[in-house]
Amino acid sequence: MSAHADNHAHDDHGHHHKETFVTKYIFSQDHKMIAKQYLITGTIMGVIGVLMSMMFRMQIAWPEEPNVLFEALLGKWAPDGVMDADIYLALVTIHGTIMVFFVLTAGLSGTFSNLLIPLQIGARDMASGFLNMVSYWLFFVSSVIMVISLFVEAGPAAAGWTIYPPLSALPMAQGGSGMGMTLWLVSMAIFIASSLLGSLNYIVTVINLRTKGMSMTRLPLTIWAFFVTAIIGVVSFPVLLSAALLLIMDRSFGTSFFLSDIFIQGEVLHYQGGSPVLFEHLFWFLGHPEVYIVILPAMGLVSEIMASNSRKPIFGYRAMIASILAIAFLSTIVWGHHMFISGMNPFLGSVFTFTTLLIAIPSAVKAFNWITTLWKGNLQLNPAMLFSIGFVSTFITGGLTGIILGDSALDINVHDTYFVVAHFHLVMGISALYGMFAGIYHWYPRMFGRMLNKNLGYIHFWVTAVCAYGVFFPMHFIGMAGLPRRYYTNSNFPLFDDLANVNVIITIFALVGGVVQIVYLYNFFGSIFYGKKSVQNPWKSTTLEWTAPVEHMHGNWPGEIPHVHRWAYDYSKPGHDVDFVPQNIPLKDGEEELQH
């Protein structure tokens, strides 16, 4: 079943033309450089997103108090340093959009699919280097447009990252519904184009360009995760694009897809016959698979890092693949659990409850397999491993609250409260970030040929881990007490006065957690130039990317591409002198290939 791809056409690639600065660093078609471009762009967007969350956390903790920072950063939106209600909504909206799409989707799929797919399957490069480059530059353009929308005079989009109509569909609804919303939609349309081009490239590469001997059941779990993630993206992103285009029609061309019976100041608008619930269906049909697009690559990275740092094979390799496929299938039939209180038929609610609780099974299979992989392993607790273990922790704790939210009866009490915010931040926000950090600490030597500082990595992990739980654990309780999300102040409700102190504690944890990311940024950018030079296989891993030379080159391997003779997890195999056997080492006489 191994697809032997003869990629020797690229062998003498470097001899034809001298690379200039522009072709090497800017319009590069080399997957390793494109991965770095994605990572650094995503990091810059991440800094913006985290800064926003720190600002609105300060607003919730100390509402109506003048703040020098607000005055400096928000200008006219914070007269005398007091944050305006409209800009609060805008900050929440753009923070959500940036973190979900521009940091997690790009930082995980964009970076690691690009870096690892060709290296781990034994290919010279992606199926189409040009398409890959176009995909990155579309992502870059959409990032720039999203940032530009912050500077629009009437304010950026402020309808929540889910942009429900009518706030998003009526340009006159609020300040941010005008030009800011239009730019948001344009940016997202370009982002979707980028995502689709990338996904198609990843799928074709995995199917067609595997080296000799690399059957599908010998692929590392990272590649399975990226492959299935790309398939989910191709299935669900076009639906969001159609929703965005219909919304643009409603806004600019007078149609009524999502609008009906709207009154503004007693005046009836001419919109008739549309339904905002239709938008919710279109949005969440992407929106729920999107959270799996974010979490699956993190799961793949964590599986690989855990096996490597436990010095033993991943437990239940085939069950891990099956659960990735089950998650992918189920992710497309659970979107209605976001809409239990939209007037949905209770019977339909019970169907979505069933499918939602069903998706807990493959997720639990993965969690148990990770724990079993760690069991009695020879654990190397480096920063990548710590972030991987942290990932499993937050994935389990965040997933448990999903059982409550996935139940149509129980969801009614906590819908649109901070309970929901706590749930999805833990299970996909923090978990996916941990997966991304784990991947960065583990594959940094592969990207930059240098090592990250381990001690700074430990500081980064422990402070981040404590602060993440410090922020999102108390949030469950204020949610159960009924505190709604997206309110810029709760001081008008005596009911919530008791919760003010909790909000202050959450904000302090958030500020400390945000500031400690400076340690990581220093480590990341400093080590590019001053880090300790890496050896070829610093973690003693079995997968193919560590058989390539440290110096980056076109085509990844000088001479012939390595052939594969065994699966990706031969750690501590009896009968071998060392505790890892790379995939390109032939089987000994009488040696059996493991296939758990």
Side-chain angles (χ1 to χ4, degrees):
M1 165 173 170
S2 140
H4 173 40
D6 195 14
N7 341 13
H8 294 283
H10 287 295
D11 278 6
D12 51 356
H13 200 55
H15 305 304
H16 294 314
H17 55 82
K18 191 87 186 90
E19 279 195 315
T20 61
F21 178 83
V22 172
T23 57
K24 184 171 183 187
Y25 292 105
I26 301 175
F27 296 110
S28 171
Q29 297 188 20
D30 182 359
H31 70 100
K32 300 180 291 298
M33 182 56 67
I34 292 173
K36 292 190 229 179
Q37 291 176 320
Y38 263 113
L39 183 56
I40 289 170
T41 313
T43 303
I44 293 166
M45 293 300 278
V47 169
I48 298 171
V50 169
L51 271 175
M52 289 181 167
S53 64
M54 289 163 81
M55 284 204 291
F56 60 68
R57 271 313 325 173
M58 287 193 276
Q59 163 64 21
I60 301 168
W62 302 288
E64 274 115 49
E65 284 185 28
N67 187 318
V68 190
L69 198 65
F70 292 170
E71 204 163 8
L73 290 175
L74 299 175
K76 69 168 183 174
W77 299 108
D80 303 324
V82 178
M83 188 186 288
D84 186 66
D86 287 344
I87 202 68
Y88 175 84
L89 288 175
L91 288 173
V92 171
T93 301
I94 306 293
H95 161 80
T97 310
I98 283 180
M99 296 312 271
V100 171
F101 294 110
F102 295 88
V103 179
L104 296 177
T105 307
L108 282 158
S109 286
T111 302
F112 290 105
S113 298
N114 268 314
L115 179 72
L116 295 178
I117 288 177
L119 281 165
Q120 288 194 338
I121 66 174
R124 294 280 179 209
D125 206 314
M126 282 288 178
S128 166
F130 177 74
L131 214 58
N132 211 10
M133 175 186 78
V134 171
S135 163
Y136 167 71
W137 281 103
L138 285 175
F139 167 69
F140 180 80
V141 167
S142 78
S143 302
V144 168
I145 293 174
M146 192 57 77
V147 172
I148 286 174
S149 80
L150 299 174
F151 300 98
V152 171
E153 189 179 355
W161 79 277
T162 54
I163 57 160
Y164 285 178
L167 272 187
S168 57
L170 291 172
M172 67 292 264
Q174 61 187 37
S177 298
M179 187 61 173
M181 190 70 236
T182 303
L183 287 174
W184 192 100
L185 288 164
V186 170
S187 167
M188 280 317 297
I190 296 171
F191 174 85
I192 292 165
S194 148
S195 184
L196 286 172
L197 290 180
S199 295
L200 291 170
N201 216 353
Y202 306 149
I203 293 169
V204 173
T205 306
V206 173
I207 292 176
N208 284 343
L209 296 187
R210 284 170 286 130
T211 184
K212 191 169 191 236
M214 180 63 87
S215 61
M216 292 299 273
T217 48
R218 283 177 175 172
L219 285 174
L221 288 170
T222 38
I223 303 300
W224 269 104
F226 299 144
F227 177 57
V228 173
T229 300
I231 292 170
I232 303 177
V234 167
V235 169
S236 57
F237 265 120
V239 181
L240 183 66
L241 183 62
S242 64
L245 289 176
L246 295 180
L247 198 50
I248 288 171
M249 300 282 235
D250 271 13
R251 292 169 54 77
S252 306
F253 302 106
T255 57
S256 303
F257 292 109
F258 306 132
L259 294 168
S260 185
D261 305 325
I262 302 276
F263 293 80
I264 287 195
Q265 293 166 343
E267 183 193 341
V268 188
L269 299 189
H270 63 277
Y271 297 107
Q272 204 61 47
S275 165
V277 176
L278 169 63
F279 178 85
E280 292 188 29
H281 279 291
L282 291 175
F283 181 89
W284 286 116
F285 188 81
L286 158 97
H288 203 80
E290 166 64 25
V291 305
Y292 291 100
I293 289 171
V294 161
I295 205 75
L296 276 177
M299 289 173 161
L301 298 173
V302 162
S303 302
E304 182 63 41
I305 292 164
M306 277 200 173
S308 182
N309 286 310
S310 301
R311 311 313 294 162
K312 53 187 282 223
I314 190 83
F315 185 87
Y317 173 77
R318 286 173 187 250
M320 287 298 231
I321 296 173
S323 59
I324 289 175
L325 294 169
I327 285 173
F329 169 66
L330 289 169
S331 76
T332 58
I333 53 170
V334 296
W335 78 92
H337 64 216
H338 297 270
M339 302 169 54
F340 284 144
I341 61 165
S342 65
M344 166 189 290
N345 182 318
F347 173 72
L348 188 58
S350 67
V351 173
F352 279 123
T353 297
F354 176 67
T355 56
T356 302
L357 298 182
L358 215 54
I359 209 166
I361 297 170
S363 305
V365 167
K366 296 189 88 60
F368 288 127
N369 282 0
W370 286 319
I371 293 168
T372 319
T373 303
L374 295 173
W375 177 251
K376 292 195 173 177
N378 172 16
L379 304 184
Q380 316 291 310
L381 293 172
N382 48 42
M385 182 63 153
L386 290 176
F387 272 112
S388 300
I389 296 169
F391 168 93
V392 178
S393 165
T394 54
F395 186 70
I396 293 171
T397 44
L400 285 173
T401 53
I403 297 171
I404 296 165
L405 293 168
D407 187 305
S408 53
L410 298 177
D411 175 67
I412 293 169
N413 298 304
V414 284
H415 185 91
D416 248 347
T417 67
Y418 271 94
F419 193 85
V420 179
V421 179
H423 158 72
F424 75 78
H425 275 83
L426 274 181
V427 81
M428 81 159 222
I430 300 295
S431 297
L433 268 180
Y434 281 3
M436 188 166 101
F437 284 138
I440 291 165
Y441 280 99
H442 190 76
W443 278 284
Y444 190 90
R446 189 62 288 184
M447 277 190 271
F448 296 102
R450 293 178 184 270
M451 305 294 281
L452 283 165
N453 182 313
K454 199 170 173 181
N455 292 333
L456 291 179
Y458 287 142
I459 294 170
H460 177 215
F461 170 74
W462 284 111
V463 181
T464 303
V466 171
C467 289
Y469 271 134
V471 169
F472 297 114
F473 203 78
M475 226 177 243
H476 291 93
F477 298 110
I478 60 175
M480 285 194 287
L483 193 69
R485 29 188 312 205
R486 297 181 173 144
Y487 282 20
Y488 83 109
T489 171
N490 304 298
S491 49
N492 297 339
F493 307 101
L495 172 70
F496 299 134
D497 286 349
D498 295 346
L499 304 178
N501 294 338
V502 185
N503 263 327
V504 172
I505 291 168
I506 291 175
T507 296
I508 290 167
F509 274 119
L511 294 174
V512 174
V515 168
V516 82
Q517 304 312 312
I518 294 171
V519 173
Y520 158 74
L521 292 171
Y522 168 76
N523 197 0
F524 182 89
F525 289 107
S527 299
I528 293 177
F529 305 104
Y530 306 112
K532 193 169 109 236
K533 282 212 160 49
S534 167
V535 294
Q536 187 175 3
N537 187 355
W539 316 118
K540 302 199 167 16
S541 297
T542 56
T543 40
L544 289 183
E545 77 271 30
W546 305 106
T547 62
V550 180
E551 302 78 43
H552 284 186
M553 51 177 292
H554 261 312
N556 295 337
W557 288 271
E560 211 172 321
I561 296 179
H563 291 177
V564 170
H565 301 279
R566 55 182 72 236
W567 75 322
Y569 298 100
D570 269 343
Y571 291 102
S572 306
K573 193 172 186 186
H576 286 271
D577 303 333
V578 282
D579 68 349
F580 72 107
V581 190
Q583 285 187 277
N584 59 339
I585 306 285
L587 293 171
K588 294 179 178 176
D589 289 342
E591 182 186 357
E592 282 187 38
E593 185 180 1
L594 295 174
Q595 282 289 359
H596 294 290

